[in-house]
Amino acid sequence: MQNKQQNRVTTSESFQMQKPANPSDVIDLGELFSVVWKGKWLIILITVIFAAGAVVFALSKPNIYKSLVLLAPVSEDSNKMGALASQFGGLASLAGVNLGSGAASSTDLAIAVLKSRKFLTAFVNRHDLKIPLFAGDKWNASTGDLLLDKEIYDTQSKAWIREVKAGKSAEPSDWEVYELFSELVVISSNKETGMVTLSIEFISPILAKQWVELLILDLNKEMREKDSAEVDRNIKYLKSNLEVTNLADMRTVFYKLIEEQLKTKMLSQVQIEYAFKTIDPAVVAEEKSKPKRALIVVMGTLLGGMLSLAMVLIANAIRSSKK
């Protein structure tokens, strides 16, 4: 009997020890629900305002269309003489002639050129893309025309009339051209397969497709002309060394190098897809890629709900602390 009383006392003490020291630390869900219920109209009002604002914002954003193309690097042997590089690479390097250093390096070089400020700026200026880039406002799906913002470019006088800060020109500078156009161009490469994906996002799917195709053409032309100019320098250098060399073995090597350099120059002149081959060509997109209007509305509504709920709880906490 005495043991039972001791067990009851021990159980009572342990129960008391499990009780929180400060009852105010316990969250009263009923009181919390009561506070939220009292401020329900404020919560509903703010949530509706945020939802309406999200709808207006989502509808104000124009549709953006993506046009992409899948590319494969041209094999090194077709334009860089891989076999020759392995056979005469050491002698060629001693002679100061570059025969190429691998397909991966030439692919990386082509991608670097494509991303460069010089290439992108020259591309925009060469094809007169400043007006659609900066003044493009909406795309007319029925006619396929791009509508321009009259507050940026005057089509009648063919003049830029956009408002700019003091000291800046109304016509976009090359720096602005690069900053804007580089955001539209997305380049990704698969290290395992070597495939390269190039895409452009713009309000006009027709222009996006045209620009992707022009980028590939201009890049192949740029790399072709670059290698052709390098070959001309190599041939000139080899011929100058051939004239002053009396060793028969070295003269044979120089003749072989000159012969292969001439083959490379011939290939660079006839091969259109010089750096990249098009595996999957670009098409005119029929569906927009962004904005995700439903997601914008949902996120705006949730933000309004959480913000209004926090306001109600903070206001209640402030009132309680004053009391």
Side-chain angles (χ1 to χ4, degrees), residues 97-162:
V97 177
N98 179 22
L99 297 180
S101 57
S105 61
S106 60
T107 301
D108 293 340
L109 176 60
I111 293 176
V113 170
L114 183 57
K115 293 181 178 180
S116 66
R117 178 180 290 106
K118 178 183 178 182
F119 177 80
L120 291 180
T121 303
F123 175 82
V124 172
N125 293 329
R126 183 185 309 116
H127 298 286
D128 297 327
L129 305 184
K130 280 187 180 182
I131 296 175
L133 266 179
F134 288 87
D137 186 28
K138 295 179 181 179
W139 177 64
N140 191 329
S142 59
T143 62
D145 296 332
L146 180 67
L147 305 180
L148 302 181
D149 189 341
K150 298 180 179 179
E151 295 182 357
I152 297 179
Y153 185 81
D154 187 359
T155 55
Q156 294 182 352
S157 61
K158 296 183 179 180
W160 293 91
I161 56 175
R162 62 173 187 153

